[in-house]
Amino acid sequence: MIQAETLELLEWPRLCQHLATFAATKLGVAAALDLAIPATQAQTAELLAQTQETYQLESRAGGALSFEGIQDIGTSLQRAELQGLLSGEELLAIATTLAGARQLRRIIDSQPDVPTLKELAAQLRTYPELEQEIHRCIDDRAQVADRATPKLAGIRVQMRQLRDRIYQILQGILQRQSNAVQEQLITQRSGRFVIPVKAPQKDAIPGIVHDSSASGATLYVEPHSTVNLNNQMRQLLRQEQAEEEAVRRVLTEQVAAVKPDLDRLVVVVTTLDLAAAKARYSFWLQANPPKFIELGEPELAPKNPEKEDEEKEEKEDEENSENSQLLIRNLRSQITLRQLRHPLLVWQQQYEQGFPVVPVDLTIGPHIRVVAITGPNTGGKTVTLKTLGLAALMAKAGMFVAAREPVELPWFDNILADIGDEQSLQQSLSTFSGHIRRISRILEVLHNKSQAEGEENSNLPITNSQQQDQELTDTQKTVSALPILKPKLQIPQPQIPITNSQLAIPKSLVLLDEVGAGTDPSEGSALAIALLQYLAQHSLLTVATTHFGELKALKYQDSRFENASVEFDDNSMQPTYRLLWGIPGRSNALTIAKRLGLLASIVEEAQTYVGGASQDVNQVIAGLEAQRRKQETKAREATQLLHQTEKLHREVSQKAAALQERERELKIAQEVAVNEAIGSAKSEIAQIIRRLQSGNQTAQNAQQATDTLNQISQKHLPSRQQPAKPKPSFMPKVGDRIRIPSLGQTAEVLSGPDANEELSVRFGIMKMTVKLGEIESLDGQKPETKAQLAKVAAQAQALATAKAKQAAAEPAKPNPEIAIRTANNSIDLRGARVSDAEIEIDRALSKAVEYGVLWIIHGKGTGQLRRGVHEFLANHPQVSRFELASQKEGGGGVTVVYLH
């Protein structure tokens, strides 16, 4: 089949081998190596959903699927169904597979947004009771355990006792006849216990000889005294084997009873492992999920302008002009495969020291049916075909495509290729005939597909002219219209009628390498034109590589055709492997021949035979390529500039947002601080008012309240607070970087300030002399000038003079350090409550101002009254400080308070 041949041509089996390396089980490896291509788009959509959801799980922490314990049990299930007997290893593999499947289902059920995987996992029946029974009867060594049945346990107890008796007897013989034995060893031959005896001393230990060494010097003898015991051991051994077989038979029957569910379990686990392999392969390949483009509604193809002029001249054709157009269904959007990479070349680069992979951009319009790729040999045309073919196959098989997002392409029902040379001496095939044979098989598939889909549209009307033309095949009509024998090849427009099958175009992808090659160039180009025009109508997309110049002109006569070329660097005389759209390529055969080592004289001679028109066309194409490169360079630079601008805009926006947030936080903090200050001031003022109201309104009390209010204002009002200290000034030194605010420049200091406070600086290539007061440091510090120092000194002197006058005017207060404790400056609060004590203390402080110190007797007790007194004193405006009295004056039971 041509489909299978296409898979070989595109190296699909090799890609499957790479995919298999990402599988976790033997089942997954086998499925990956024999990866089938779905027949319907619905199957592809399901496979792609599995891959996408598994990819999501692989990207989550702790969400990756685990296939630990899962083994290939398909053969064992078949033998169980045929009433065979499963071994212990096979039964243990079934048990571990059941446990692994249960763990797999548990992982999927715990994850959100994976409906396809959950639907698969719901089909898993893991039979925990069967798993437990197998583990009960089969141990970790895959042997039937003693606990399987009481009978088996009893047989093995007898065997151990009998074995001990045999060992005891043989050990005694080895000790008594140590000279006759070869070594102190008890071994087995034919399932019977024997000892090694020297051949010359065999009569010393009478018994049955079961074996001898290779040299004949050692005989393995079973003494007569252990013959009966060995016979009993053999009987017990047969009983043990029979009982083990009975246990395994029961387990095998239990497995056979649930074989359909276990078969389904194997299928589901294999499907999940294959989906995980595709997801891991896609992650390694940095691939993206494809989106399939659907076909639009049928519409009339646009006419060729030249053809319209001819139809206007013929009036009889003007009435039926619409019947001469093709009714086609275009794609809803363009095919987009940007930065598409060949997955096999990526593997070769990573693991086989291959060359760097050059990605290609494939952007094909919705109305394009044929793309003709031209350009030099060894330029990458064939690689482009294979890359596109593999991308279509991978998308169809539910895999991601190695291209940049978005990945948009149609779902092709057939992917057919004619790549490479099918020349064969055994089959008498030349290069040309080999290509024709393969192309014929491709057309046969398209024709059969077209007929099959045409039957679904048999109810559509067919005109009389179409019924008359149905006597000839489409290929015959197309080829018969080609003027192959004319001296100048004219490219005709196809006059193919609308048939039932044409209304439903087969969604096939056709890849043709060197179409029409291997024969006379004029006939080969004519055949290539006819073939491509046929494929434009009977396939969804055809991509062909060619060197024929006539095929390059198809684009300008039929809107369904497009040109592309592989780029060639004239400077390095090397292909760049980049694909250029809309520009036909140059073959550069002579240039490449010279680069590959052909004699220069031959190349120069060949250059003389090339027509001038061909050289002119090549020069025009070269100019177009150069112009395109310039535009691409400018577009790339513009894109980079746009990205940089967007990045700068984001950074500035983030910084602005951060500054706004910081400003908001500072405002909130300031409001909180102001409110706290207001509340504290109100509380202190309220205390002063209460004290004035409760005491005697004397002049001394009023003066004391006034002083306290001044202290509160000094503490809370910003205008009364000391101004913040200025930043420490600096003195520039040689080599320092400074800023000149008046010029908006940053400069370097060349010489320090002189006696006139001038210094030399340099910024750029300019040198100049500036004043010390005209500069500042990079962090905003101003240098100290002589005038500033003199001003600061004068202010300090004036402040010191003012303080001295104020101190002289104020009356001297008594020194609290030498105050004497009397009844007037002492208060006893023992036994009082804290609330009552605060009132008494407030009164006593008002009376003790003239003494400067107050003794408060509160006692020791529980210490609660002392703590209350200290908390009250700590917030009182009149209190300078307080401390516990000395031991002579009461120690911890007395507090000494010093007043302002």
Side-chain angles (χ1 to χ4, degrees):
M1 293 177 62
I2 186 63
Q3 291 90 339
E5 191 175 353
T6 297
L7 296 181
E8 293 291 338
L9 293 175
L10 296 178
E11 301 181 85
W12 178 253
R14 185 179 167 199
L15 185 141
C16 293
Q17 292 177 1
H18 296 169
L19 175 64
T21 60
F22 292 89
T25 66
K26 292 182 179 179
L27 295 169
V29 171
L33 291 175
D34 193 23
L35 186 61
I37 306 297
T40 64
Q41 188 171 351
Q43 295 175 350
T44 297
E46 183 178 1
L47 293 177
L48 191 58
Q50 295 172 5
T51 305
Q52 289 178 312
E53 292 179 5
T54 310
Y55 189 92
Q56 295 175 6
L57 294 184
E58 294 289 333
S59 304
R60 297 173 184 171
L65 298 181
S66 173
F67 297 88
E68 184 179 358
I70 296 176
Q71 303 182 39
D72 186 2
I73 60 174
T75 305
S76 302
L77 296 179
Q78 292 178 359
R79 191 160 68 255
E81 186 181 27
L82 298 175
Q83 298 181 354
L85 184 62
L86 299 183
S87 65
E89 290 83 357
E90 292 173 317
L91 291 170
L92 198 60
I94 292 174
T96 57
T97 300
L98 292 174
R102 189 180 306 108
Q103 176 65 19
L104 194 61
R105 184 178 61 189
R106 188 178 297 114
I107 294 175
I108 295 175
D109 290 340
S110 64
Q111 298 295 328
D113 304 328
V114 285
T116 304
L117 297 184
K118 287 185 177 180
E119 184 178 355
L120 276 175
Q123 304 176 26
L124 293 173
R125 297 195 60 186
T126 56
Y127 291 100
E129 65 280 358
L130 177 59
E131 175 195 347
Q132 294 174 3
E133 183 65 15
I134 292 175
H135 282 302
R136 187 185 71 83
C137 298
I138 307 296
D139 59 19
D140 295 338
R141 299 172 302 165
Q143 302 295 324
V144 180
D146 294 351
R147 59 181 176 271
T149 62
K151 182 179 180 181
L152 180 61
I155 292 173
R156 289 181 174 174
V157 169
Q158 296 180 29
M159 291 177 65
R160 285 192 291 270
Q161 294 175 353
L162 192 57
R163 186 183 298 109
D164 293 341
R165 290 179 57 192
I166 294 174
Y167 264 76
Q168 184 178 4
I169 294 173
L170 294 179
Q171 287 290 350
I173 295 174
L174 289 175
Q175 293 176 2
R176 291 193 302 271
Q177 302 291 339
S178 58
N179 295 330
V181 298
Q182 192 73 28
E183 57 180 323
Q184 298 289 325
L185 175 66
I186 299 175
T187 184
Q188 283 185 325
R189 288 295 185 272
S190 301
R192 305 179 74 87
F193 292 98
V194 296
I195 56 177
V197 180
K198 298 177 182 178
Q201 303 290 333
K202 65 178 180 178
D203 295 334
I205 303 177
I208 302 173
V209 178
H210 287 278
D211 196 5
S212 63
S213 63
S215 62
T218 303
L219 301 178
Y220 294 94
V221 178
E222 178 187 6
H224 290 307
S225 57
T226 61
V227 170
N228 291 332
L229 296 177
N230 274 323
N231 291 338
Q232 296 178 22
M233 179 63 73
R234 293 296 297 271
Q235 292 176 0
L236 291 175
L237 184 60
R238 283 192 293 270
Q239 294 177 14
E240 179 192 30
Q241 293 175 351
E243 189 63 22
E244 289 178 351
E245 290 181 1
V247 172
R248 288 189 284 115
R249 174 69 63 186
V250 172
L251 295 176
T252 302
E253 291 175 354
Q254 294 180 11
V255 170
V258 295
K259 178 183 179 295
D261 292 335
L262 296 185
D263 285 336
R264 184 59 188 165
L265 180 144
V266 171
V267 172
V268 172
V269 169
T270 304
T271 303
L272 292 174
D273 190 17
L274 186 59
K278 292 177 182 178
R280 294 169 186 144
Y281 182 55
S282 301
F283 183 82
W284 172 84
L285 200 57
Q286 297 181 358
N288 290 294
K291 178 183 178 183
F292 293 111
I293 308 171
E294 299 296 335
L295 288 174
E297 296 298 327
E299 59 183 15
L300 292 176
K303 301 178 186 178
N304 190 298
E306 297 179 0
K307 207 62 186 173
E308 288 181 353
D309 296 337
E310 296 177 1
E311 290 177 353
K312 289 179 182 179
E313 296 176 358
E314 300 177 359
K315 295 182 180 180
E316 62 275 8
D317 293 340
E318 187 175 355
E319 296 178 358
N320 300 322
S321 60
E322 291 185 359
N323 292 335
S324 65
Q325 300 179 55
L326 296 178
L327 191 62
I328 61 175
R329 296 180 65 189
N330 292 330
L331 296 173
R332 295 186 183 274
S333 61
Q334 68 177 6
I335 299 175
T336 305
L337 295 170
R338 293 188 177 92
Q339 299 294 304
L340 179 63
R341 293 165 291 132
H342 196 297
L344 301 184
L345 294 181
V346 175
W347 184 280
Q348 185 175 343
Q349 177 189 358
Q350 294 289 335
Y351 296 108
E352 300 174 7
Q353 289 77 42
F355 295 101
V357 181
V358 180
V360 296
D361 292 335
L362 295 176
T363 307
I364 305 173
H367 63 283
I368 298 300
R369 287 287 183 269
V370 179
V371 177
I373 302 178
T374 55
N377 294 304
T378 69
K381 299 190 297 296
T382 303
V383 173
T384 301
L385 290 183
K386 290 187 175 182
T387 305
L388 176 58
L390 279 179
L393 285 173
M394 293 172 69
K396 193 174 180 180
M399 302 171 65
F400 290 5
V401 178
R404 193 182 67 189
E405 285 189 312
V407 179
E408 299 177 343
L409 74 166
W411 186 88
F412 297 104
D413 54 4
N414 278 307
I415 300 171
L416 309 169
D418 172 34
I419 300 175
D421 193 356
E422 203 182 10
Q423 183 179 11
S424 174
L425 295 178
Q426 294 180 350
Q427 302 179 11
S428 300
L429 292 177
S430 64
T431 299
F432 178 74
S433 58
H435 281 292
I436 295 301
R437 290 278 186 88
R438 193 179 287 158
I439 291 174
S440 298
R441 293 194 292 272
I442 292 175
L443 297 180
E444 181 180 358
V445 172
L446 295 179
H447 181 69
N448 295 337
K449 186 70 175 178
S450 179
Q451 284 185 341
E453 295 189 0
E455 293 176 357
E456 300 177 0
N457 302 304
S458 58
N459 56 342
L460 296 178
I462 302 177
T463 62
N464 295 332
S465 60
Q466 295 171 358
Q467 293 177 350
Q468 295 173 1
D469 291 337
Q470 284 180 355
E471 298 176 359
L472 296 177
T473 65
D474 295 331
T475 306
Q476 289 173 336
K477 287 181 288 185
T478 305
V479 175
S480 63
L482 295 176
I484 298 176
L485 300 179
K486 293 183 180 181
K488 183 178 180 181
L489 182 63
Q490 299 291 334
I491 302 175
Q493 288 300 309
Q495 299 294 330
I496 303 175
I498 302 175
T499 64
N500 295 6
S501 62
Q502 293 166 6
L503 291 173
I505 300 175
K507 296 193 296 184
S508 300
L509 172 64
V510 180
L511 306 173
L512 302 177
D513 189 24
E514 301 295 346
V515 59
T519 187
D520 179 73
S522 60
E523 294 185 358
S525 61
L527 183 60
I529 292 172
L531 176 62
L532 293 182
Q533 287 178 339
Y534 178 88
L535 292 175
Q537 183 179 346
H538 289 81
S539 68
L540 185 58
L541 178 64
T542 299
V543 183
T545 65
T546 182
H547 288 285
F548 293 136
E550 293 79 7
L551 269 65
K552 304 174 185 177
L554 286 173
K555 169 186 176 181
Y556 307 103
Q557 300 189 16
D558 193 331
S559 60
R560 298 173 300 172
F561 285 74
E562 179 61 280
N563 284 334
S565 61
V566 287
E567 189 180 35
F568 188 82
D569 191 350
D570 293 329
N571 297 325
S572 63
M573 296 299 174
Q574 297 277 351
T576 62
Y577 305 105
R578 294 178 63 245
L579 197 62
L580 304 178
W581 287 89
I583 300 178
R586 299 169 290 156
S587 294
N588 293 298
L590 300 181
T591 303
I592 294 176
K594 184 177 180 180
R595 181 174 62 86
L596 295 178
L598 192 63
L599 291 176
S601 58
I602 297 177
V603 176
E604 293 174 359
E605 181 69 17
Q607 192 71 40
T608 61
Y609 296 114
V610 178
S614 176
Q615 292 182 357
D616 294 340
V617 171
N618 285 338
Q619 291 178 358
V620 171
I621 294 175
L624 291 174
E625 292 177 353
Q627 184 177 4
R628 181 173 185 138
R629 282 194 293 269
K630 290 181 181 178
Q631 295 297 330
E632 289 178 350
T633 301
K634 292 181 179 179
R636 190 162 51 249
E637 292 175 352
T639 302
Q640 293 177 354
L641 181 60
L642 178 61
H643 290 166
Q644 293 175 358
T645 305
E646 291 176 349
K647 180 180 179 181
L648 180 61
H649 180 266
R650 287 193 301 269
E651 292 177 354
V652 172
S653 300
Q654 292 174 357
K655 290 182 178 179
L659 289 175
Q660 292 177 355
E661 181 65 20
R662 177 60 179 166
E663 183 179 1
R664 188 181 68 85
E665 293 177 354
L666 289 176
K667 286 183 178 179
I668 294 175
Q670 290 176 355
E671 291 178 359
V672 171
V674 170
N675 291 332
E676 290 179 352
I678 292 174
S680 177
K682 287 181 177 179
S683 176
E684 295 178 4
I685 293 173
Q687 291 180 3
I688 294 174
I689 294 174
R690 287 196 303 271
R691 187 166 61 249
L692 289 175
Q693 291 176 348
S694 60
N696 298 324
Q697 286 78 15
T698 62
Q700 184 179 2
N701 292 338
Q703 180 63 37
Q704 184 179 0
T706 302
D707 295 340
T708 305
L709 290 174
N710 290 333
Q711 293 176 1
I712 295 174
S713 63
Q714 187 77 15
K715 178 179 179 183
H716 294 292
L717 292 179
S719 59
R720 301 292 185 88
Q721 296 178 359
Q722 294 292 333
K725 294 184 178 180
K727 293 183 178 180
S729 59
F730 84 108
M731 186 59 63
K733 300 184 294 296
V734 177
D736 288 352
R737 300 288 297 177
I738 53 94
R739 183 183 293 109
I740 307 176
S742 60
L743 301 179
Q745 295 287 339
T746 301
E748 179 185 0
V749 178
L750 299 180
S751 63
D754 54 12
N756 297 326
E757 294 187 342
E758 294 181 347
L759 65 159
S760 299
V761 297
R762 176 177 61 193
F763 54 90
I765 59 174
M766 295 183 59
K767 295 182 180 179
M768 63 182 302
T769 301
V770 295
K771 289 288 188 179
L772 187 62
E774 298 176 354
I775 68 171
E776 64 181 17
S777 65
L778 296 182
D779 58 355
Q781 297 185 34
K782 290 287 188 180
E784 290 183 348
T785 61
K786 293 180 179 179
Q788 290 176 341
L789 293 176
K791 183 178 180 180
V792 171
Q795 291 176 350
Q797 182 65 29
L799 183 61
T801 303
K803 287 184 177 180
K805 292 180 179 180
Q806 183 179 3
E810 292 181 354
K813 292 183 178 181
N815 188 357
E817 297 295 336
I818 58 175
I820 301 173
R821 179 177 176 181
T822 63
N824 295 328
N825 59 0
S826 299
I827 181 173
D828 190 352
L829 301 176
R830 285 177 291 184
R833 295 182 178 181
V834 174
S835 57
D836 298 331
E838 290 178 354
I839 298 175
E840 296 296 330
I841 294 173
D842 196 14
R843 293 176 180 175
L845 288 173
S846 300
K847 297 178 181 179
V849 171
E850 58 184 2
Y851 300 100
V853 63
L854 175 67
W855 277 264
I856 300 176
I857 305 171
H858 44 68
K860 296 181 180 179
T862 60
Q864 186 168 358
L865 179 60
R866 181 181 60 188
R867 286 193 297 271
V869 168
H870 286 183
E871 289 176 1
F872 180 79
L873 293 175
N875 297 320
H876 201 284
Q878 287 184 265
V879 176
S880 173
R881 61 185 178 90
F882 59 89
E883 61 186 14
L884 293 175
S886 61
Q887 291 295 330
K888 294 185 299 180
E889 296 178 340
V894 179
T895 297
V896 182
V897 183
Y898 298 94
L899 308 180
H900 288 293

